[in-house]
């Protein structure tokens, strides 16, 4: 039987969770670009509102490493499955509650305080989500299929992006700006309950990974996984952090920053630009599929290194393409950016587990992935906005060039560890 069909339930459980993850984060990113500032912060300055809304966006990134250590502790001690269920419930519950928040006009500073609390909850839950989903896939993979199995959680990203972007597009077409600001922005947060329900239903029906069971038979789990990780595997953690930066930088510049910048500074209509991003998203999925197949035929290091190098090159043309004034050129810029992101993001599910032994693998890949997310994702919109202000649109891509160089260095200097399926 084809390995993908044989392990279909496991791969679905891995994909659905990360689809929820990216859906949750993208609906907030889109809301931050469009309505969070005016609804949750005082009205003295539009620039201050935008900055504060993106600060709440970045807050969840800083909660992620905390969640990575907490969920990694239990993932390495009691198992992948139960930890994944808990992380999904926390992340999904926090997202759903955002739909019921009062605005600043209703509750004053209580509103942004509650918003920050729920954003922290989102980030904390997400800190344990991706690592567990990746291990669920690659630790069940037959030899020679690690990268294609590792692509399953990665495909959740364009899927979640598609649902979030498509829902905002439909709401924008069906509602006036006043209705969208009054209540329409809450609908995507409410709709997240459906995806979370599907994710829980699938995950409760799967078992533990063979690699974890085998490791537990050989030796008891570490009492404090993070301590063992930092004592014995710090170079691998640093390499993993660097290896993640490029994909996050591309994603948040091509989605969050591009939407905000295009609908304010560049004057594009919101629905028009959302449609462009929705079309470009198909190239993201294509890049992930190409990366998974290519990495199994060659090596994950080669494909990830190629994605990093192309990211550095992309930075030289990204800002100019975005500010070209031609929607066709903008689409080509975003489509090529997201395809390159697929090459830098697709191999991570198979590459990061090779850096760590099973006993600290959940903690190791979760910490590396989420700290890299802070550098590449949380800083990207700020850096791009600052560079655009200092040097114009053409300078926006400088951050991408730096991110690509950092990831390339991480791949080149990373230790060569065990295969994902080995204990």
């Amino acid at each position: 039987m084809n390995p993908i069909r044989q392990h279909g339930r496991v791969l679905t459980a891995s994909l659905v969770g990360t689809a929820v993850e990216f859906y949750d984060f993208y609906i907030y990113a889109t809301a931050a670009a469009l309505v969070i500032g005016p609804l949750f912060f005082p009205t003295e300055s539009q620039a201050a509102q935008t900055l504060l809304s993106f600060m709440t966006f970045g807050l969840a990134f800083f909660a992620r490493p905390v969640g990575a250590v907490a969920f990694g502790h239990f993932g390495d001690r009691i198992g992948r499955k139960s930890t994944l269920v808990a992380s999904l419930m926390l992340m999904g519950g926090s997202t759903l509650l955002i739909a019921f928040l009062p605005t600043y006009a209703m509750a004053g500073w209580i509103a942004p305080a509650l918003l920050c609390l729920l954003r922290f909850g989102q980030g904390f839950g997400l800190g344990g989500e991706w690592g567990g989903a990746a291990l669920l896939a690659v630790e069940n993979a037959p030899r020679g299929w690690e990268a294609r199995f590792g692509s399953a959680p990665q495909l959740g990203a364009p899927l979640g992006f598609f649902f979030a972007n498509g829902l905002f597009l439909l709401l924008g077409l069906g509602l006036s700006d006043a209705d969208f600001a009054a209540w329409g922005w809450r609908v995507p947060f409410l709709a997240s309950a459906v995806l979370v329900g599907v994710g829980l239903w699938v995950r409760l029906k799967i078992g533990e990974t063979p690699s974890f069971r085998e490791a537990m038979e050989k030796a008891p789990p570490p009492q404090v996984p993070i301590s063992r990780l930092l004592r014995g595997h710090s170079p691998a953690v640093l390499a993993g952090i660097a290896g993640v930066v490029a994909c996050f930088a591309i994603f948040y510049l091509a989605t969050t920053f591009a939407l905000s910048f295009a609908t304010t500074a560049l004057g594009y209509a919101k629905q028009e630009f959302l449609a462009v991003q929705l079309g470009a998203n198909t190239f993201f999925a294509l890049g992930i599929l190409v990366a998974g197949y290519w990495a199994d035929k060659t090596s994950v290091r080669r494909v990830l290194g190629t994605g990093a190098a192309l990211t550095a090159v992309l930075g030289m043309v990204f800002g100019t393409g975005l500010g070209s004034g031609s929607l066709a050129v903008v689409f080509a810029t975003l489509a090529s950016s997201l395809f390159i992101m697929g090459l830098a993001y697709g191999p991570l599910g198979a590459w990061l587990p090779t850096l760590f032994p099973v006993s600290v693998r959940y903690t190791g890949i979760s910490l590396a992935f989420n700290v890299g997310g802070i550098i590449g994702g949380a800083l990207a919109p700020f850096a791009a906005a600052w560079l655009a202000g200092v040097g114009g649109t053409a300078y926006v891509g400088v951050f991408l060039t730096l991110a690509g160089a950092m990831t390339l260095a991480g791949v080149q200097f990373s230790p060569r560890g065990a295969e994902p399926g080995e204990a």
Side-chain angles (χ1 to χ4, degrees), residues 221-239:
Q223 289 295 317
V224 185
I226 183 64
S227 177
R228 182 180 293 184
L229 175 74
L230 296 179
R231 279 201 318 269
H233 305 281
S234 291
V237 173
L238 293 174

Side-chain angles (χ1 to χ4, degrees), residues 8-415:
R9 181 173 288 175
V10 166
L11 295 176
T12 301
S14 178
L15 181 148
V16 169
T18 49
V20 173
E21 164 195 333
F22 273 83
Y23 174 87
D24 285 359
F25 261 67
Y26 189 71
I27 61 173
Y28 190 86
T30 305
L34 300 177
V35 297
I36 291 294
L39 291 178
F40 285 90
F41 296 101
T43 56
E44 286 85 357
S45 162
Q46 182 179 344
Q49 284 182 348
T50 301
L51 184 62
L52 287 167
S53 69
F54 279 130
M55 283 178 65
T56 62
F57 176 70
L59 174 65
F61 280 92
F62 290 94
R64 286 165 68 156
V66 183
V69 173
F71 284 105
H73 178 87
F74 294 105
D76 283 327
R77 284 187 55 79
I78 65 174
R80 309 336 190 185
K81 174 188 171 178
S82 55
T83 306
L84 270 173
V85 169
S87 68
L88 183 61
M89 289 181 67
L90 176 59
M91 187 174 64
S94 298
T95 303
L96 179 61
L97 289 173
I98 290 175
F100 299 98
L101 284 178
T103 63
Y104 184 83
M106 298 174 186
W109 281 104
I110 293 175
L114 290 173
L115 178 64
C116 289
L117 179 64
L118 292 177
R119 283 295 291 160
F120 189 89
Q122 269 190 319
F124 190 86
L126 176 53
E129 171 58 40
W130 181 86
L135 293 184
L136 190 66
V138 299
E139 288 186 349
N140 277 291
R143 186 167 295 278
W145 285 76
E146 290 87 357
R148 276 168 285 185
F149 271 50
S151 296
Q154 311 306 72
L155 284 170
L159 187 64
F161 179 86
F162 173 82
F163 283 125
N165 188 290
L167 185 51
F168 270 107
L169 181 60
L170 291 174
L171 288 169
L173 292 172
L175 299 176
S176 66
D177 287 344
D179 284 341
F180 181 79
W183 59 268
W185 67 273
R186 299 179 186 270
V187 173
F189 293 95
L190 285 169
S192 69
V194 177
L195 285 174
V196 172
V198 171
L200 288 174
W201 178 73
V202 174
R203 285 184 175 180
L204 289 170
K205 292 178 174 290
I206 59 174
E208 193 49 77
T209 70
S211 297
F212 182 81
R213 290 198 305 268
E214 183 182 343
M216 292 305 98
E217 290 170 2
K218 289 181 177 179
Q223 289 295 317
V224 185
I226 183 64
S227 177
R228 182 180 293 184
L229 175 74
L230 296 179
R231 279 201 318 269
H233 305 281
S234 291
V237 173
L238 293 174
I241 290 170
V244 168
V245 169
C247 70
F248 274 99
I250 295 176
F251 186 73
Y252 287 104
L253 285 187
T255 57
T256 306
F257 172 78
L259 177 63
S260 177
F261 192 72
T263 55
T264 54
L266 301 181
Y268 289 103
K270 181 178 65 178
Q271 275 65 50
E272 179 181 50
F273 204 81
L274 283 169
V276 167
Q277 287 188 317
L278 194 64
N281 180 58
T282 59
F283 289 85
F284 182 20
L286 180 62
I288 292 171
L289 291 171
V290 168
Y293 183 82
W294 183 14
D296 274 336
K297 298 304 178 185
T298 56
S299 75
V300 289
R301 292 169 64 94
R302 176 179 296 180
V303 178
L304 182 54
T306 301
L310 289 174
T311 302
V313 174
L314 173 67
M316 300 175 187
V317 298
F318 179 83
T320 302
L322 185 63
S324 65
S326 164
L327 207 57
V329 174
V330 170
F331 174 80
T333 300
L334 296 181
S336 58
S337 298
L338 290 173
F339 181 82
I340 292 170
M341 182 193 167
L343 298 182
Y345 181 67
L348 289 178
W351 177 68
L352 283 173
T354 67
L355 305 182
F356 307 100
V358 174
S359 61
V360 294
R361 187 175 282 166
Y362 201 129
T363 304
I365 73 171
S366 297
L367 189 63
F369 186 78
N370 289 295
V371 174
I374 292 177
I375 299 170
L379 297 182
F382 289 108
W386 180 77
L387 287 165
V390 170
T393 310
Y395 280 69
V396 166
V398 171
F399 188 79
L400 286 178
T401 299
L402 295 174
M406 184 178 291
T407 289
L408 188 59
V411 174
Q412 292 302 316
F413 293 105
S414 63

